[in-house]
Amino acid sequence: MKAYFSHYTNLIFTLILLFTGDSVFGQVRSVIKLNDGWLFKRGEIPEAEKVNFDAKNWEKVRIPHDYAIFGPFDKEIDKQTVAITQNNEKVATEKTGRTGALPYIGEAWYRNTFEVPDFKKGKRALLLFEGAMSQPKVYLNGRLIGQWNYGYSYFYFDISEELLENKENTLAVQLTNLPQSSRWYPGAGLYRNVSIIVTEDVSFEQWGISITTKQVQEDFAQVHVKSEVVGQPDYIVTEIQDLNGKTVAVDSSSKVFGKFFEEDIKVENPKLWEPDAPNLYIAISKLYKDGKLTDIKHTRFGIRTIAYIAGKGFLLNEKVTKFKGVCLHHDLGPLGAAVNKAALRRQMEILKDMGCNAIRSAHNMPSFEQLELADEMGFLFLAESFDEWAKPKVKNGYAKFFNSDAEKDIVNLVRATRNHPSIVMWSSGNEVPDQWGSEGVKRAKFLQEIFHREDPTRPVTVGMDQVKAVMESGFGVLVDIPGLNYRTHLYEEAYQKFPQGMLLGSETASTVSSRGVYKFPVQIAKNKTYDDLQSSSYDLESTSWSNLPEDDFILQDDKDWVIGEFVWTGFDYLGEPTPYDEKWPSRSSYFGINDLAGLPKDRFYLYRSRWNTTDNTLHILPHWTWPDRVGQTTPVFVYTNFDRAELFVNGKSMGVQQKNNSTPQHRYRLMWMDVKYEPGTVKVVAYHKDGSKAMEKEIHTAGKPHKIVLEADRSTINADKEDLSFVKVSVVDKHGNLCPNANIPLQFEVSGAGNFKAVCNGDPTSLEPFHLPTMRTFNGQLVVLVQSKDKAGIAKLVVKGKGLKSSELSINIK
């Protein structure tokens, strides 16, 4: 039986991607990014939109820019007395770090002046915002040209009439962030790119090109290109190239159906897009009028098929593929919401090493940069739209705008991103209170039909946490792919009651931990809290509504109809410091598989041992520096892809452990629960099934902190004022062993062709600002961000700490 998928059942689906750049294609199209030249000021500022307004004393900034990330952290910011219904709370209590305790609330202004040399009257000019937090009002040359509400949405305005020719233009943007508008840190400001796009009056509509694959055979693919145009062109020519620049197909058409050209183009011997081989193509579309080229557009896309079939699950290129995914909020730790491609790439490289193959943008529309990287690096993508519908979760959330804005926000999401081969599913919402009752069913249907209308090639899901309610209301029957947030104990019942023949773990685990923190006794616990406001990295603690990783592993491994999972979360994020929502100074999450600095927690290796099927994993926890635990029981866990291993403490065998089905944990972990701590060396030897030695690893008790060690993720970066090198800083003893208890203040200095950008130690309770060149290590480590200037050369980072041998590192800027 085929999966229920509205009237799109039996379709095989494919994908695409829109390439947005700042290149100039001849004289017919130019894309100008407005990154520089901005002036910024917070507050209510009368007449700041006027052309002759004096802003000379405003701060000079470069976008993308998040003005709130610079802090300071403050307990009073967005302090709320609420009951978080998503956490099953019934009584309102004071919450202090829910939105990150950073000053995002209030009004702010940005101003810029610029000329557009390619613009002449009669041409078409668009002003594109890829994200503005939030409720932007946009003024050009003193006139309000438009406004938007949703801070995560992409939007544009036609400024052809307002843009001045051969004169200076004044752009002003007013932003307003209301209190209680988010459940996490939303960021603030022009946190994504702003561009001006200039074309001839006969041109392609913005986001007007759609590329799908009608069919794929072994020796050819039929690629369908639908192009929406403005004006009355005579004909279109489309050339398809591979990424090496080789032309693989050419087509032309003079048949216009209303505003659309439609072409079916044969690509011989296609290279398919998939996570292990993310092959891409570029469609070069050219419009002609009266024999002249009037527009040219480059659209990157991938050739691949997707299908969702009951009893089999998700098929990519006709192969069953499970989602080994994580959820990601949009903030980038110490950078805040300001999008940065190098930071996103680093995150995704870490996830790739873990064996992750999928990302859910939670609970927001993804950035263009994130989708471009997903295409290039091979990640399946679940693109989400909203955290609220008409019923609010917070006082000033999206519910204020849902009835008026939901359709246009979804339209822009789909049209702007539909060509990305990585996107294989849309999400219309997450844990919306509208899950109860008939009104919610109507809203789910309304949103799903918009997605289907705009993109008939992909299904729609909703992250549902009220599983009993959606069983009764028909909500769960309606959605194309039922997405369950947690509620693992209801999977079987939901599978029996829903007709789709499959379930998706749209949000799973919510296990909590702090990097390098271990609590005793070692036991499974729910909502466990401690005086130091940390959670144990033995990975046995979760929230009241959720579960440990193994509960999801079992469902994924044993049930073909469970098509994958998206773990909450891949990285820690600012805000939502559960289980310490009521405890100050907790101000960021504990859910991450990696901490806020991007350093892996122990849980990273648990997922890696199961998900990464290419590389071996052998990881020991906890660390072995416990001066106060001599003679006390200190359990040792090993995360490995091997089934058997033997543990040695100072050369003495603690016995062989083998994975088994006695408990969910024993199925996926090796655990020696009765080990008594004594300083020295812990070694683990993993064995193949035939008993031969497969791999070994050891850890040592650390001595006194002695020196600083630096390790850059990239030793060469681009001289573009945007690129970043992330430098891991470790405090080690004289033998090079990490000092896991070292919480030492360090100082950072960057000279030459780079700048100090930020620093983060991953401590969810730290109130030290990210942008100042000093911070304590957290359990022996932190990460420093070095950003390039705009000229080639060498950037030198020097790190110092009292009583430690300092260290320096050179980064090549090219």
Side-chain angles (χ1 to χ4, degrees):
M1 172 182 172
K2 294 275 185 171
Y4 174 81
F5 181 27
S6 187
H7 58 280
Y8 303 103
T9 308
N10 299 327
L11 285 180
I12 301 287
F13 320 114
T14 43
L15 267 164
I16 25 181
L17 138 58
L18 178 66
F19 174 78
T20 303
D22 56 0
S23 304
V24 176
F25 304 117
Q27 298 299 314
V28 297
R29 168 177 289 261
S30 62
V31 181
I32 305 166
K33 282 188 177 179
L34 295 179
N35 295 111
D36 292 303
W38 291 92
L39 298 174
F40 166 77
K41 190 174 180 62
R42 294 196 61 167
E44 299 179 23
I45 308 173
E47 301 186 342
E49 77 281 4
K50 292 183 179 289
V51 173
N52 60 357
F53 182 84
D54 184 4
K56 65 183 179 182
N57 293 324
W58 287 20
E59 180 184 359
K60 295 180 180 179
V61 300
R62 189 173 195 272
I63 67 167
H65 178 246
D66 179 353
Y67 64 77
I69 195 62
F70 303 101
F73 294 101
D74 188 341
K75 178 181 179 180
E76 300 302 314
I77 292 173
D78 203 22
K79 184 166 66 176
Q80 305 176 21
T81 301
V82 295
I84 304 176
T85 56
Q86 288 73 38
N87 296 3
N88 298 323
E89 294 181 0
K90 306 297 183 184
V91 178
T93 57
E94 182 180 279
K95 309 295 193 298
T96 55
R98 195 180 185 197
T99 55
L102 287 164
Y104 74 93
I105 297 167
E107 291 188 17
W109 283 84
Y110 290 82
R111 285 174 60 91
N112 203 338
T113 56
F114 58 91
E115 292 186 23
V116 183
D118 291 332
F119 179 73
K120 294 180 181 180
K121 290 300 180 181
K123 287 194 171 187
R124 189 165 183 252
L126 305 179
L127 178 60
L128 170 66
F129 290 81
E130 296 176 21
M133 192 64 70
S134 57
Q135 299 183 55
K137 293 182 179 179
V138 181
Y139 299 85
L140 184 61
N141 299 322
R143 181 183 171 210
L144 178 67
I145 59 168
Q147 59 190 80
W148 211 264
N149 288 316
Y150 193 31
Y152 294 109
S153 188
Y154 341 106
F155 59 94
Y156 64 92
F157 303 118
D158 190 325
I159 58 171
S160 305
E161 296 301 320
E162 290 81 7
L163 194 63
L164 301 178
E165 179 182 346
N166 297 321
K167 292 183 180 179
E168 185 176 79
N169 292 269
T170 300
L171 176 63
V173 184
Q174 180 190 21
L175 298 169
T176 302
N177 286 328
L178 299 174
Q180 298 189 44
S181 59
S182 180
R183 297 192 297 123
W184 55 85
Y185 175 68
L190 297 179
Y191 71 101
R192 292 179 182 168
N193 289 306
V194 179
S195 303
I196 294 175
I197 303 163
V198 178
T199 67
E200 301 294 330
D201 58 343
V202 175
S203 61
F204 293 105
E205 182 60 272
Q206 177 69 5
W207 305 326
I209 296 177
S210 170
I211 305 178
T212 56
T213 306
K214 282 189 172 180
Q215 62 172 315
V216 176
Q217 302 294 333
E218 185 175 345
D219 56 348
F220 80 94
Q222 184 183 3
V223 175
H224 184 72
V225 183
K226 185 175 182 179
S227 304
E228 184 177 1
V229 297
V230 177
Q232 296 181 330
D234 294 330
Y235 64 95
I236 187 173
V237 175
T238 300
E239 177 183 357
I240 295 179
Q241 296 181 353
D242 63 21
L243 290 191
N244 295 319
K246 179 183 177 182
T247 299
V248 297
V250 179
D251 185 76
S252 63
S253 176
S254 58
K255 296 180 180 179
V256 183
F257 301 91
K259 298 188 296 180
F260 297 94
F261 286 99
E262 297 199 43
E263 302 168 278
D264 285 307
I265 305 174
K266 181 180 180 181
V267 177
E268 295 184 347
N269 302 312
K271 295 181 179 179
L272 303 187
W273 184 95
E274 57 189 26
D276 292 334
N279 297 298
L280 295 167
Y281 292 88
I282 295 176
I284 304 172
S285 303
K286 300 177 183 180
L287 278 184
Y288 291 87
K289 175 71 173 179
D290 298 329
K292 294 181 179 180
L293 177 68
T294 64
D295 199 6
I296 182 170
K297 189 75 180 73
H298 288 54
T299 305
R300 197 173 63 172
F301 69 100
I303 297 173
R304 60 103 178 102
T305 66
I306 62 173
Y308 294 81
I309 300 176
K312 289 187 177 181
F314 169 63
L315 277 68
L316 176 66
N317 298 328
E318 301 184 350
K319 296 180 292 187
V320 174
T321 303
K322 289 237 182 185
F323 295 104
K324 299 183 290 186
V326 300
C327 302
L328 293 181
H329 267 312
H330 76 308
D331 82 66
L332 293 168
L335 297 175
V339 70
N340 182 279
K341 200 164 186 177
L344 288 165
R345 183 185 293 108
R346 173 179 178 253
Q347 280 193 342
M348 294 164 81
E349 286 173 346
I350 291 168
L351 293 175
K352 202 75 174 178
D353 178 60
M354 189 173 69
C356 173
N357 71 357
I359 294 170
R360 173 192 181 210
S361 62
H363 306 290
N364 53 269
M365 298 176 178
S367 68
F368 294 162
E369 291 86 349
Q370 189 177 40
L371 292 175
E372 289 167 8
L373 287 168
D375 293 338
E376 294 166 11
M377 300 174 69
F379 283 91
L380 305 167
F381 211 97
L382 171 51
E384 195 151 87
S385 51
F386 309 123
D387 188 52
E388 281 187 7
W389 293 351
K391 291 186 177 180
K393 296 179 183 179
V394 292
K395 181 180 177 181
N396 292 310
Y398 189 73
K400 294 171 66 73
F401 314 117
F402 177 83
N403 289 330
S404 60
D405 291 10
E407 180 168 6
K408 69 177 184 179
D409 284 331
I410 288 177
V411 167
N412 280 12
L413 167 65
V414 175
R415 292 186 183 179
T417 67
R418 59 190 169 184
N419 292 325
H420 288 276
S422 52
I423 297 178
V424 295
M425 194 186 308
W426 306 108
S427 170
S428 62
N430 170 69
E431 297 182 359
V432 293
D434 315 64
Q435 288 169 88
W436 287 272
S438 61
E439 285 302 311
V441 178
K442 293 174 183 176
R443 291 179 190 125
K445 185 174 185 292
F446 162 71
L447 295 174
Q448 186 163 279
E449 287 180 348
I450 297 171
F451 277 109
H452 286 172
R453 181 193 73 205
E454 296 298 319
D455 174 24
T457 72
R458 299 177 179 90
V460 181
T461 190
V462 177
M464 302 181 294
D465 62 330
Q466 303 302 317
V467 180
K468 289 288 188 180
V470 299
M471 288 179 184
E472 296 171 2
S473 68
F475 191 113
V477 172
L478 171 73
V479 296
D480 296 331
I481 306 296
L484 269 58
N485 286 10
Y486 316 107
R487 314 300 189 264
T488 53
H489 62 289
L490 294 175
Y491 269 48
E492 288 279 0
E493 184 179 355
Y495 174 63
Q496 294 300 324
K497 289 191 174 182
F498 295 156
Q500 295 91 333
M502 68 188 71
L503 295 176
L504 171 69
S506 45
E507 195 168 310
T508 64
S510 271
T511 304
V512 292
S513 63
S514 303
R515 177 181 53 79
V517 174
Y518 305 92
K519 301 296 186 179
F520 305 94
V522 177
Q523 55 192 7
I524 294 174
K526 294 273 191 180
N527 279 10
K528 183 70 173 176
T529 59
Y530 304 92
D531 291 342
D532 63 357
L533 308 187
Q534 303 292 351
S535 295
S536 178
S537 201
Y538 272 106
D539 302 324
L540 292 173
E541 297 174 3
S542 60
T543 58
S544 60
W545 69 85
S546 65
N547 51 271
L548 300 180
E550 289 85 358
D551 299 323
D552 296 298
F553 292 171
I554 290 169
L555 287 165
Q556 302 297 327
D557 288 345
D558 294 355
K559 309 295 183 183
D560 291 339
W561 44 267
V562 179
I563 66 173
E565 66 169 314
F566 290 88
V567 180
W568 192 263
T569 52
F571 292 80
D572 279 335
Y573 55 93
L574 292 161
E576 281 194 316
T578 310
Y580 296 105
D581 301 276
E582 302 168 15
K583 303 290 186 179
W584 182 255
S586 291
R587 48 70 171 156
S588 63
S589 79
Y590 299 76
F591 297 118
I593 295 171
N594 301 274
D595 72 13
L596 198 69
L599 296 173
K601 302 179 186 179
D602 292 288
R603 204 161 3 118
F604 172 92
Y605 300 96
L606 178 60
Y607 283 96
R608 190 181 194 273
S609 69
R610 180 175 173 271
W611 282 359
N612 187 329
T613 58
T614 302
D615 304 305
N616 291 323
T617 299
L618 189 60
H619 177 73
I620 307 169
L621 65 127
H623 63 75
W624 209 242
T625 305
W626 300 99
D628 298 328
R629 293 194 61 80
V630 175
Q632 296 185 46
T633 300
T634 306
V636 175
F637 289 7
V638 169
Y639 298 156
T640 180
N641 56 302
F642 298 104
D643 290 333
R644 298 172 60 238
E646 186 172 8
L647 182 71
F648 299 86
V649 178
N650 292 329
K652 181 181 178 181
S653 176
M654 298 292 108
V656 174
Q657 291 284 346
Q658 183 164 338
K659 294 176 184 177
N660 60 73
N661 293 326
S662 60
T663 69
Q665 282 65 50
H666 281 91
R667 182 169 171 177
Y668 297 96
R669 315 184 196 200
L670 300 176
M671 302 181 291
W672 290 260
M673 300 301 296
D674 299 323
V675 177
K676 297 294 191 293
Y677 176 74
E678 58 182 66
T681 299
V682 172
K683 183 172 76 170
V684 63
V685 179
Y687 298 106
H688 291 295
K689 291 184 178 180
D690 64 4
S692 61
K693 183 188 294 186
M695 192 176 182
E696 67 177 56
K697 188 175 183 179
E698 57 184 48
I699 58 175
H700 307 276
T701 301
K704 293 181 180 181
H706 176 67
K707 64 178 180 179
I708 297 166
V709 174
L710 306 181
E711 181 184 353
D713 72 325
R714 297 163 66 216
S715 59
T716 301
I717 60 177
N718 297 316
D720 58 6
K721 297 191 289 187
E722 295 181 6
D723 210 357
L724 294 168
S725 179
F726 289 77
V727 181
K728 181 171 69 174
V729 180
S730 302
V731 175
V732 302
D733 67 10
K734 62 182 180 181
H735 299 295
N737 298 306
L738 177 69
C739 297
N741 300 316
N743 298 306
I744 299 173
L746 301 179
Q747 295 79 44
F748 321 105
E749 181 181 342
V750 179
S751 59
N755 292 312
F756 169 83
K757 178 64 177 178
V759 59
C760 185
N761 62 12
D763 179 359
T765 69
S766 173
L767 300 183
E768 296 177 274
F770 299 123
H771 67 290
L772 297 181
T774 178
M775 184 172 284
R776 288 179 178 268
T777 55
F778 179 56
N779 297 329
Q781 293 184 313
L782 53 74
V783 173
V784 177
L785 285 65
V786 177
Q787 189 163 53
S788 64
K789 296 180 182 178
D790 59 355
K791 293 182 180 179
I794 300 295
K796 186 171 75 171
L797 168 66
V798 177
V799 182
K800 299 177 181 180
K802 186 176 180 180
L804 297 173
K805 184 179 178 181
S806 62
S807 185
E808 65 179 56
L809 178 73
S810 293
I811 298 167
N812 185 35
I813 313 295
K814 68 172 186 177

